[in-house]
PDB file of all heavy atoms in Angstrom:
ATOM      1  N   GLY A 144      28.732  85.638   5.871  1.00 87.00           N
ATOM      2  CA  GLY A 144      27.888  84.523   5.440  1.00 87.00           C
ATOM      3  C   GLY A 144      27.341  83.668   6.569  1.00 87.00           C
ATOM      4  O   GLY A 144      27.120  82.475   6.399  1.00 87.00           O
ATOM      5  N   LEU A 145      27.124  84.282   7.736  1.00 92.00           N
ATOM      6  CA  LEU A 145      26.608  83.510   8.877  1.00 92.00           C
ATOM      7  C   LEU A 145      25.239  84.013   9.362  1.00 92.00           C
ATOM      8  O   LEU A 145      24.858  83.749  10.497  1.00 92.00           O
ATOM      9  CB  LEU A 145      27.605  83.551  10.046  1.00 92.00           C
ATOM     10  CG  LEU A 145      28.843  82.676   9.904  1.00 92.00           C
ATOM     11  CD1 LEU A 145      29.770  82.854  11.109  1.00 92.00           C
ATOM     12  CD2 LEU A 145      28.486  81.194   9.746  1.00 92.00           C
ATOM     13  N   ARG A 146      24.550  84.729   8.498  1.00 91.00           N
ATOM     14  CA  ARG A 146      23.223  85.181   8.880  1.00 91.00           C
ATOM     15  C   ARG A 146      22.356  83.955   9.203  1.00 91.00           C
ATOM     16  O   ARG A 146      22.453  82.941   8.524  1.00 91.00           O
ATOM     17  CB  ARG A 146      22.578  85.961   7.730  1.00 91.00           C
ATOM     18  CG  ARG A 146      21.310  86.681   8.113  1.00 91.00           C
ATOM     19  CD  ARG A 146      21.039  87.770   7.109  1.00 91.00           C
ATOM     20  NE  ARG A 146      20.765  87.217   5.780  1.00 91.00           N
ATOM     21  CZ  ARG A 146      19.536  86.971   5.324  1.00 91.00           C
ATOM     22  NH1 ARG A 146      18.484  87.239   6.060  1.00 91.00           N
ATOM     23  NH2 ARG A 146      19.362  86.467   4.117  1.00 91.00           N
ATOM     24  N   GLY A 147      21.566  84.051  10.225  1.00 94.00           N
ATOM     25  CA  GLY A 147      20.684  82.941  10.562  1.00 94.00           C
ATOM     26  C   GLY A 147      21.294  81.966  11.563  1.00 94.00           C
ATOM     27  O   GLY A 147      20.630  81.041  12.012  1.00 94.00           O
ATOM     28  N   PHE A 148      22.576  82.170  11.916  1.00 96.00           N
ATOM     29  CA  PHE A 148      23.214  81.248  12.858  1.00 96.00           C
ATOM     30  C   PHE A 148      23.539  81.909  14.198  1.00 96.00           C
ATOM     31  O   PHE A 148      24.238  81.335  15.025  1.00 96.00           O
ATOM     32  CB  PHE A 148      24.501  80.688  12.254  1.00 96.00           C
ATOM     33  CG  PHE A 148      24.274  79.860  11.027  1.00 96.00           C
ATOM     34  CD1 PHE A 148      24.375  80.417   9.757  1.00 96.00           C
ATOM     35  CD2 PHE A 148      23.923  78.520  11.142  1.00 96.00           C
ATOM     36  CE1 PHE A 148      24.140  79.658   8.623  1.00 96.00           C
ATOM     37  CE2 PHE A 148      23.694  77.750  10.011  1.00 96.00           C
ATOM     38  CZ  PHE A 148      23.801  78.323   8.743  1.00 96.00           C
ATOM     39  N   SER A 149      23.023  83.097  14.409  1.00 95.00           N
ATOM     40  CA  SER A 149      23.487  83.905  15.544  1.00 95.00           C
ATOM     41  C   SER A 149      23.214  83.265  16.900  1.00 95.00           C
ATOM     42  O   SER A 149      23.941  83.520  17.854  1.00 95.00           O
ATOM     43  CB  SER A 149      22.869  85.306  15.487  1.00 95.00           C
ATOM     44  OG  SER A 149      21.476  85.212  15.662  1.00 95.00           O
ATOM     45  N   GLN A 150      22.197  82.424  16.995  1.00 97.00           N
ATOM     46  CA  GLN A 150      21.866  81.831  18.294  1.00 97.00           C
ATOM     47  C   GLN A 150      22.503  80.462  18.512  1.00 97.00           C
ATOM     48  O   GLN A 150      22.240  79.784  19.503  1.00 97.00           O
ATOM     49  CB  GLN A 150      20.337  81.734  18.467  1.00 97.00           C
ATOM     50  CG  GLN A 150      19.631  83.101  18.419  1.00 97.00           C
ATOM     51  CD  GLN A 150      20.333  84.144  19.307  1.00 97.00           C
ATOM     52  OE1 GLN A 150      20.593  83.912  20.484  1.00 97.00           O
ATOM     53  NE2 GLN A 150      20.663  85.292  18.717  1.00 97.00           N
ATOM     54  N   ARG A 151      23.338  80.038  17.570  1.00 97.00           N
ATOM     55  CA  ARG A 151      24.015  78.747  17.734  1.00 97.00           C
ATOM     56  C   ARG A 151      25.219  78.884  18.649  1.00 97.00           C
ATOM     57  O   ARG A 151      25.859  79.925  18.707  1.00 97.00           O
ATOM     58  CB  ARG A 151      24.495  78.241  16.380  1.00 97.00           C
ATOM     59  CG  ARG A 151      23.356  77.935  15.454  1.00 97.00           C
ATOM     60  CD  ARG A 151      23.539  76.574  14.868  1.00 97.00           C
ATOM     61  NE  ARG A 151      22.582  76.337  13.814  1.00 97.00           N
ATOM     62  CZ  ARG A 151      22.783  75.494  12.818  1.00 97.00           C
ATOM     63  NH1 ARG A 151      23.935  74.839  12.722  1.00 97.00           N
ATOM     64  NH2 ARG A 151      21.865  75.301  11.920  1.00 97.00           N
ATOM     65  N   TYR A 152      25.547  77.777  19.281  1.00 96.00           N
ATOM     66  CA  TYR A 152      26.761  77.713  20.078  1.00 96.00           C
ATOM     67  C   TYR A 152      27.904  77.191  19.200  1.00 96.00           C
ATOM     68  O   TYR A 152      27.648  76.503  18.206  1.00 96.00           O
ATOM     69  CB  TYR A 152      26.542  76.807  21.297  1.00 96.00           C
ATOM     70  CG  TYR A 152      25.653  77.474  22.322  1.00 96.00           C
ATOM     71  CD1 TYR A 152      24.276  77.351  22.257  1.00 96.00           C
ATOM     72  CD2 TYR A 152      26.212  78.289  23.308  1.00 96.00           C
ATOM     73  CE1 TYR A 152      23.452  78.007  23.170  1.00 96.00           C
ATOM     74  CE2 TYR A 152      25.402  78.942  24.225  1.00 96.00           C
ATOM     75  CZ  TYR A 152      24.026  78.802  24.154  1.00 96.00           C
ATOM     76  OH  TYR A 152      23.235  79.467  25.042  1.00 96.00           O
ATOM     77  N   PRO A 153      29.154  77.494  19.565  1.00 94.00           N
ATOM     78  CA  PRO A 153      30.287  77.068  18.730  1.00 94.00           C
ATOM     79  C   PRO A 153      30.256  75.585  18.363  1.00 94.00           C
ATOM     80  O   PRO A 153      30.573  75.223  17.226  1.00 94.00           O
ATOM     81  CB  PRO A 153      31.497  77.424  19.592  1.00 94.00           C
ATOM     82  CG  PRO A 153      31.058  78.623  20.352  1.00 94.00           C
ATOM     83  CD  PRO A 153      29.602  78.371  20.670  1.00 94.00           C
ATOM     84  N   SER A 154      29.864  74.728  19.309  1.00 94.00           N
ATOM     85  CA  SER A 154      29.853  73.285  19.014  1.00 94.00           C
ATOM     86  C   SER A 154      28.828  72.927  17.935  1.00 94.00           C
ATOM     87  O   SER A 154      28.891  71.845  17.364  1.00 94.00           O
ATOM     88  CB  SER A 154      29.550  72.500  20.287  1.00 94.00           C
ATOM     89  OG  SER A 154      28.255  72.840  20.756  1.00 94.00           O
ATOM     90  N   GLN A 155      27.920  73.859  17.673  1.00 96.00           N
ATOM     91  CA  GLN A 155      26.902  73.604  16.639  1.00 96.00           C
ATOM     92  C   GLN A 155      27.307  74.192  15.287  1.00 96.00           C
ATOM     93  O   GLN A 155      26.504  74.212  14.364  1.00 96.00           O
ATOM     94  CB  GLN A 155      25.558  74.199  17.082  1.00 96.00           C
ATOM     95  CG  GLN A 155      25.044  73.610  18.395  1.00 96.00           C
ATOM     96  CD  GLN A 155      23.832  74.366  18.927  1.00 96.00           C
ATOM     97  OE1 GLN A 155      23.859  75.586  19.063  1.00 96.00           O
ATOM     98  NE2 GLN A 155      22.767  73.634  19.221  1.00 96.00           N
TER      99      GLN A 155
END
Side-chain angles (χ1 to χ4, degrees):
L145 284 178
R146 190 160 65 94
F148 296 95
S149 65
Q150 299 313 308
R151 295 230 189 154
Y152 287 88
S154 63
Q155 300 171 308

